[in-house]
Amino acid sequence: MLFGRKKRKPISIPAKKVKEWKYTTCNYCSTGCSIEIGLDENKKLVTSRGHAGADVNRGKLCIKGLLEHELFESPGRGTTPLIRNKHYDKFENTSWDHALDTTAEQIKKIQNKYGRDAFAIISTGQLLTEEFYTLGKLARGCIGTNNYDGNTTLCMASAVSGYKRSFGSDGPPGCYDDFEHTHCFMAFGSNLPEQHPIIYWRLKEALEKRKFPLIVVDPRVTMLAQFADIHLPITPGTDCVLINAMMYVIINEGLQDQAYIDAHTQGFEEVKALVQDYDPKSAQHICGIDEDKIRTVARLYAKAPAAMSIWTMGINQSTHGSDGVANINNLNLITGNIGKPGGTSLSITGQCNAMGTREWSSCSGLPGYRYLENADDRQEIADFWGIDPEFFPKKRGLAETDIFPAIETGEIKGLWIVATNPMTSMPDTSRIRKALEKLDFLVVQDVYEDVEMNEYSHVYFPAAVWAEKQGCHTNTERRVNLIDNALEPFAESKPDFWIFNQMAKRFDNGNIIHFPDEPEQAFNEMKHLSKGTNAYGNERTLDISGMSYEKIIKARGIQWPYSEETDAESNSLKGDPRLYTDGKFQTKSGKANLLPIKFFNNNEQPCKDYPFWLNSGRVVEHFHTRTRTGKIGNCNKFSPTPYMEMNPDAAIELGIEHQSYVRLTSRRGDAVVMVQLTQRVPRNMVFIPFHFHDCVNRLTLGLLDPHSRQPAFKQASVRIEKVDQKEAGQLNVERRAF
């Protein structure tokens, strides 16, 4: 008998008659899974499956990828451009020409009155790379604003900053194949089974073939922590202290790779001197890990023939995020674990094409890891685009997290939001709401008309989704893969590539700069710009000159660097799986920088008034702000309403019951959630998935990392209060209507 039923209802899988399979790449996380989507005889998408011949996922998909074909006709999709005078007026349907003309006129009006930088653009990590490159052309070369950034500032900016500080350039140096070769695996603030299930499957497969220590650093007993050999339940925000203490042990016991340090790094003596202040006996009282365990882990890591570290938002989303990344790099540099099989510092990227925006969007600089601060880089791009280099700013402008405060102060009067949802994703969202009300003009470009940001827009551009377009993604391991156009855009929606091209025609420089009609032509421009040397004369790591759409499809993805020379010499269509294998880095000296990282405890911490740590993260069935997965029934059903994990012992003290509703309050706002009692969190902590609107980011702290400008989403404090259950239940019903 099953739940009172005497007869089991047999599972039936309806036949999905597929006439044609179309190749594409998943548009959710950064894993980069190759997908085939099935069309029936009426050209309707009916199913998805993993591509068995692809090296990344080898036929497997997570729940989101398996249901991705349902996005094309999911509720809330934009059908036509919309326009209104005030954000509180009712939208009216309009033509594309009128929507684009109005937007261009408003941009020029704001810039003529307040200056070019009074109009800002915030993009995403989910466009195709050719679209990023084209938007960069438009923003930097035509509109000319310096206040242009991507939402990757909320997830990967600290990884970018840390890589640049240590190695002289962005770009993860390792790959998934390192799982097959490592002898010690350490994960910092990364819950692979829920964040990146297919990457976790690759790790699990490697562990089944050859056992090696799995060490997980996380304040919560995540799914990955449950599988770990050693779980280090660290005090939130103190990773730098733990790593410094590990390096204290390694250096003072002579376990470092001194030959590698001498040959390929600079700054070792400064690091050696600093870590003397972080002996495990002292460090344990700050980071919450006892000294014996620190020593054990340090020795395991240093003595392994090859050891690797991965991390995700547990490191990045902190006021010490960039320092945390630089310190992980320090750990791997002093043990000689960079550029060799099984030895790496591998940031696990968040969004499907966050790497693409880092490489080609010009958000933080110019295409191909070029810098606005470098006159030669400005000249090179200006010559290629055919414009005056003086049109470019001499340094990077505001990051996304600085753009919203600049709206508050009146520095920014207009904003273009592309495929991102700060109304849910930014910390302290009540502040964001007030800022948006001050804008003279807001244009929102999104697949979904009902995205929360559209509540405040004056113009809405309906964008095409994923496989209604063509172009590339770059995944976590630098693998470039193709999204092939499977069907025509829904209703009157348009590919982002088309929208950017049409907007460029409405600016003077748009008649000078060449904007190709087809994405593959833009890809060819990127190939050309990927060649050559950087400011210090080093060969560019980001070389895609040997690739083509045809070759990418044939190989099911190619890792960069993959140069013309590599392509001519080899028929394998395989790029370099690892960077810095020769020990040469993208710095002036060619050596990696060892950076002394001093810990400053500026976190918001539990206190008498707010006695609980607030932690946030992902769940496997949802993605980002649920704009997509909230519409997919078989994803949304697993967690359709905001909830929090709470320790049962803490709940008893407060008289709180399992599956009741409570109100959380921080110094910034409040949120109502359902309680899930579990021992996965300690007594003084709660965990909330960040996907839900008007929930955890009403509470989170807006403090920023000084290097990356990334917010400290994961170090805040809250108190828990009882709430009227009937009223909270009604709120829950209203939220589930999404």
PDB file of all heavy atoms in Angstrom, residues 60 72 155-156 173 209 221 236 387 407-408 502 529 554 582 614 636 654 716:
ATOM      1  N   LYS A  60      24.276  12.837 -20.288  1.00  0.00           N
ATOM      2  CA  LYS A  60      23.479  13.110 -19.088  1.00  0.00           C
ATOM      3  C   LYS A  60      23.001  14.565 -19.057  1.00  0.00           C
ATOM      4  O   LYS A  60      23.648  15.463 -19.591  1.00  0.00           O
ATOM      5  CB  LYS A  60      24.295  12.798 -17.830  1.00  0.00           C
ATOM      6  CG  LYS A  60      24.527  11.302 -17.621  1.00  0.00           C
ATOM      7  CD  LYS A  60      25.303  11.040 -16.354  1.00  0.00           C
ATOM      8  CE  LYS A  60      25.325   9.557 -16.014  1.00  0.00           C
ATOM      9  NZ  LYS A  60      25.816   8.713 -17.101  1.00  0.00           N
ATOM     10  N   PHE A  72      10.021  27.213 -24.500  1.00  0.00           N
ATOM     11  CA  PHE A  72       9.633  27.935 -25.705  1.00  0.00           C
ATOM     12  C   PHE A  72       8.182  28.411 -25.659  1.00  0.00           C
ATOM     13  O   PHE A  72       7.847  29.441 -26.233  1.00  0.00           O
ATOM     14  CB  PHE A  72       9.881  27.062 -26.938  1.00  0.00           C
ATOM     15  CG  PHE A  72      11.333  26.756 -27.140  1.00  0.00           C
ATOM     16  CD1 PHE A  72      11.907  25.633 -26.585  1.00  0.00           C
ATOM     17  CD2 PHE A  72      12.134  27.610 -27.875  1.00  0.00           C
ATOM     18  CE1 PHE A  72      13.250  25.357 -26.764  1.00  0.00           C
ATOM     19  CE2 PHE A  72      13.483  27.346 -28.058  1.00  0.00           C
ATOM     20  CZ  PHE A  72      14.045  26.222 -27.492  1.00  0.00           C
ATOM     21  N   CYS A 155      27.992  37.342  -9.177  1.00  0.00           N
ATOM     22  CA  CYS A 155      28.364  35.933  -8.980  1.00  0.00           C
ATOM     23  C   CYS A 155      29.834  35.634  -9.222  1.00  0.00           C
ATOM     24  O   CYS A 155      30.449  34.909  -8.450  1.00  0.00           O
ATOM     25  CB  CYS A 155      27.487  35.004  -9.829  1.00  0.00           C
ATOM     26  SG  CYS A 155      27.539  35.314 -11.598  1.00  0.00           S
ATOM     27  N   MET A 156      30.449  36.172 -10.282  1.00  0.00           N
ATOM     28  CA  MET A 156      31.798  35.740 -10.641  1.00  0.00           C
ATOM     29  C   MET A 156      32.848  36.833 -10.564  1.00  0.00           C
ATOM     30  O   MET A 156      34.021  36.586 -10.858  1.00  0.00           O
ATOM     31  CB  MET A 156      31.786  35.155 -12.059  1.00  0.00           C
ATOM     32  CG  MET A 156      30.923  33.927 -12.235  1.00  0.00           C
ATOM     33  SD  MET A 156      31.146  32.644 -10.969  1.00  0.00           S
ATOM     34  CE  MET A 156      32.876  32.253 -11.157  1.00  0.00           C
ATOM     35  N   PRO A 173      42.205  28.114 -14.933  1.00  0.00           N
ATOM     36  CA  PRO A 173      43.357  27.394 -15.493  1.00  0.00           C
ATOM     37  C   PRO A 173      43.168  25.890 -15.638  1.00  0.00           C
ATOM     38  O   PRO A 173      43.982  25.233 -16.276  1.00  0.00           O
ATOM     39  CB  PRO A 173      44.477  27.696 -14.495  1.00  0.00           C
ATOM     40  CG  PRO A 173      43.777  27.964 -13.212  1.00  0.00           C
ATOM     41  CD  PRO A 173      42.461  28.587 -13.570  1.00  0.00           C
ATOM     42  N   LYS A 209      36.380   5.465  -9.755  1.00  0.00           N
ATOM     43  CA  LYS A 209      37.503   4.815 -10.434  1.00  0.00           C
ATOM     44  C   LYS A 209      38.757   4.800  -9.574  1.00  0.00           C
ATOM     45  O   LYS A 209      39.559   3.875  -9.646  1.00  0.00           O
ATOM     46  CB  LYS A 209      37.798   5.545 -11.750  1.00  0.00           C
ATOM     47  CG  LYS A 209      36.713   5.408 -12.803  1.00  0.00           C
ATOM     48  CD  LYS A 209      37.067   6.224 -14.041  1.00  0.00           C
ATOM     49  CE  LYS A 209      35.989   6.127 -15.102  1.00  0.00           C
ATOM     50  NZ  LYS A 209      36.301   6.984 -16.278  1.00  0.00           N
ATOM     51  N   VAL A 221      25.806  21.738   6.186  1.00  0.00           N
ATOM     52  CA  VAL A 221      26.008  20.352   5.767  1.00  0.00           C
ATOM     53  C   VAL A 221      25.287  20.167   4.436  1.00  0.00           C
ATOM     54  O   VAL A 221      24.159  19.666   4.372  1.00  0.00           O
ATOM     55  CB  VAL A 221      25.498  19.353   6.832  1.00  0.00           C
ATOM     56  CG1 VAL A 221      25.858  17.928   6.419  1.00  0.00           C
ATOM     57  CG2 VAL A 221      26.077  19.665   8.194  1.00  0.00           C
ATOM     58  N   PRO A 236      31.195  31.568   8.796  1.00  0.00           N
ATOM     59  CA  PRO A 236      31.007  32.281   7.528  1.00  0.00           C
ATOM     60  C   PRO A 236      31.979  33.447   7.355  1.00  0.00           C
ATOM     61  O   PRO A 236      32.236  34.216   8.287  1.00  0.00           O
ATOM     62  CB  PRO A 236      29.563  32.782   7.618  1.00  0.00           C
ATOM     63  CG  PRO A 236      28.879  31.761   8.473  1.00  0.00           C
ATOM     64  CD  PRO A 236      29.903  31.358   9.489  1.00  0.00           C
ATOM     65  N   ILE A 387      36.917  53.805 -35.357  1.00  0.00           N
ATOM     66  CA  ILE A 387      36.510  55.027 -34.660  1.00  0.00           C
ATOM     67  C   ILE A 387      37.718  55.648 -33.956  1.00  0.00           C
ATOM     68  O   ILE A 387      38.790  55.051 -33.864  1.00  0.00           O
ATOM     69  CB  ILE A 387      35.381  54.770 -33.637  1.00  0.00           C
ATOM     70  CG1 ILE A 387      35.832  53.773 -32.569  1.00  0.00           C
ATOM     71  CG2 ILE A 387      34.125  54.272 -34.341  1.00  0.00           C
ATOM     72  CD1 ILE A 387      34.812  53.590 -31.438  1.00  0.00           C
ATOM     73  N   ILE A 407      22.067  55.921  -9.155  1.00  0.00           N
ATOM     74  CA  ILE A 407      20.700  56.351  -9.476  1.00  0.00           C
ATOM     75  C   ILE A 407      20.141  57.145  -8.301  1.00  0.00           C
ATOM     76  O   ILE A 407      19.505  58.193  -8.472  1.00  0.00           O
ATOM     77  CB  ILE A 407      19.800  55.144  -9.789  1.00  0.00           C
ATOM     78  CG1 ILE A 407      20.297  54.401 -11.032  1.00  0.00           C
ATOM     79  CG2 ILE A 407      18.348  55.592  -9.993  1.00  0.00           C
ATOM     80  CD1 ILE A 407      19.580  53.078 -11.286  1.00  0.00           C
ATOM     81  N   GLU A 408      20.397  56.665  -7.082  1.00  0.00           N
ATOM     82  CA  GLU A 408      19.919  57.362  -5.880  1.00  0.00           C
ATOM     83  C   GLU A 408      20.452  58.788  -5.796  1.00  0.00           C
ATOM     84  O   GLU A 408      19.745  59.710  -5.399  1.00  0.00           O
ATOM     85  CB  GLU A 408      20.338  56.592  -4.627  1.00  0.00           C
ATOM     86  CG  GLU A 408      19.669  55.246  -4.458  1.00  0.00           C
ATOM     87  CD  GLU A 408      20.197  54.482  -3.255  1.00  0.00           C
ATOM     88  OE1 GLU A 408      21.395  54.609  -2.933  1.00  0.00           O
ATOM     89  OE2 GLU A 408      19.405  53.755  -2.635  1.00  0.00           O
ATOM     90  N   GLN A 502      19.980  46.685 -34.513  1.00  0.00           N
ATOM     91  CA  GLN A 502      19.014  47.725 -34.879  1.00  0.00           C
ATOM     92  C   GLN A 502      19.222  48.997 -34.060  1.00  0.00           C
ATOM     93  O   GLN A 502      19.085  50.107 -34.586  1.00  0.00           O
ATOM     94  CB  GLN A 502      17.578  47.195 -34.683  1.00  0.00           C
ATOM     95  CG  GLN A 502      17.207  46.050 -35.603  1.00  0.00           C
ATOM     96  CD  GLN A 502      17.359  46.389 -37.062  1.00  0.00           C
ATOM     97  OE1 GLN A 502      16.871  47.432 -37.527  1.00  0.00           O
ATOM     98  NE2 GLN A 502      18.053  45.541 -37.807  1.00  0.00           N
ATOM     99  N   LEU A 529      40.362  39.146 -33.242  1.00  0.00           N
ATOM    100  CA  LEU A 529      40.782  39.916 -32.068  1.00  0.00           C
ATOM    101  C   LEU A 529      41.375  39.032 -30.971  1.00  0.00           C
ATOM    102  O   LEU A 529      41.962  39.544 -30.017  1.00  0.00           O
ATOM    103  CB  LEU A 529      39.599  40.708 -31.502  1.00  0.00           C
ATOM    104  CG  LEU A 529      39.112  41.871 -32.370  1.00  0.00           C
ATOM    105  CD1 LEU A 529      37.814  42.449 -31.803  1.00  0.00           C
ATOM    106  CD2 LEU A 529      40.184  42.957 -32.469  1.00  0.00           C
ATOM    107  N   LYS A 554      31.247  19.721 -34.730  1.00  0.00           N
ATOM    108  CA  LYS A 554      31.875  18.415 -34.953  1.00  0.00           C
ATOM    109  C   LYS A 554      32.539  17.898 -33.676  1.00  0.00           C
ATOM    110  O   LYS A 554      32.454  16.702 -33.349  1.00  0.00           O
ATOM    111  CB  LYS A 554      32.905  18.521 -36.072  1.00  0.00           C
ATOM    112  CG  LYS A 554      33.535  17.193 -36.466  1.00  0.00           C
ATOM    113  CD  LYS A 554      34.496  17.368 -37.639  1.00  0.00           C
ATOM    114  CE  LYS A 554      35.133  16.032 -38.015  1.00  0.00           C
ATOM    115  NZ  LYS A 554      36.090  16.190 -39.156  1.00  0.00           N
ATOM    116  N   ASP A 582      53.337  25.809 -18.882  1.00  0.00           N
ATOM    117  CA  ASP A 582      54.767  26.115 -18.997  1.00  0.00           C
ATOM    118  C   ASP A 582      55.262  27.005 -17.865  1.00  0.00           C
ATOM    119  O   ASP A 582      56.433  27.403 -17.849  1.00  0.00           O
ATOM    120  CB  ASP A 582      55.061  26.790 -20.344  1.00  0.00           C
ATOM    121  CG  ASP A 582      54.234  28.062 -20.562  1.00  0.00           C
ATOM    122  OD1 ASP A 582      53.434  28.425 -19.663  1.00  0.00           O
ATOM    123  OD2 ASP A 582      54.380  28.688 -21.624  1.00  0.00           O
ATOM    124  N   LEU A 614      22.524  34.401   8.477  1.00  0.00           N
ATOM    125  CA  LEU A 614      21.686  34.174   7.301  1.00  0.00           C
ATOM    126  C   LEU A 614      22.572  33.684   6.159  1.00  0.00           C
ATOM    127  O   LEU A 614      23.505  34.374   5.748  1.00  0.00           O
ATOM    128  CB  LEU A 614      20.978  35.456   6.876  1.00  0.00           C
ATOM    129  CG  LEU A 614      20.195  35.382   5.553  1.00  0.00           C
ATOM    130  CD1 LEU A 614      19.044  34.382   5.646  1.00  0.00           C
ATOM    131  CD2 LEU A 614      19.681  36.761   5.152  1.00  0.00           C
ATOM    132  N   ASN A 636       9.158  23.485 -10.752  1.00  0.00           N
ATOM    133  CA  ASN A 636       8.613  24.322  -9.680  1.00  0.00           C
ATOM    134  C   ASN A 636       7.940  23.522  -8.573  1.00  0.00           C
ATOM    135  O   ASN A 636       7.891  23.957  -7.419  1.00  0.00           O
ATOM    136  CB  ASN A 636       7.623  25.325 -10.271  1.00  0.00           C
ATOM    137  CG  ASN A 636       7.301  26.453  -9.322  1.00  0.00           C
ATOM    138  OD1 ASN A 636       8.205  27.049  -8.735  1.00  0.00           O
ATOM    139  ND2 ASN A 636       6.032  26.740  -9.153  1.00  0.00           N
ATOM    140  N   LEU A 654      12.525  28.484  20.395  1.00  0.00           N
ATOM    141  CA  LEU A 654      11.636  29.580  19.996  1.00  0.00           C
ATOM    142  C   LEU A 654      10.184  29.141  19.847  1.00  0.00           C
ATOM    143  O   LEU A 654       9.319  29.964  19.518  1.00  0.00           O
ATOM    144  CB  LEU A 654      12.129  30.181  18.670  1.00  0.00           C
ATOM    145  CG  LEU A 654      13.506  30.857  18.700  1.00  0.00           C
ATOM    146  CD1 LEU A 654      13.883  31.331  17.308  1.00  0.00           C
ATOM    147  CD2 LEU A 654      13.529  32.022  19.673  1.00  0.00           C
ATOM    148  N   ALA A 716      25.261  37.801   6.806  1.00  0.00           N
ATOM    149  CA  ALA A 716      24.310  38.751   7.373  1.00  0.00           C
ATOM    150  C   ALA A 716      23.689  38.109   8.612  1.00  0.00           C
ATOM    151  O   ALA A 716      23.870  36.910   8.860  1.00  0.00           O
ATOM    152  CB  ALA A 716      23.229  39.110   6.355  1.00  0.00           C
TER     153      ALA A 716
END
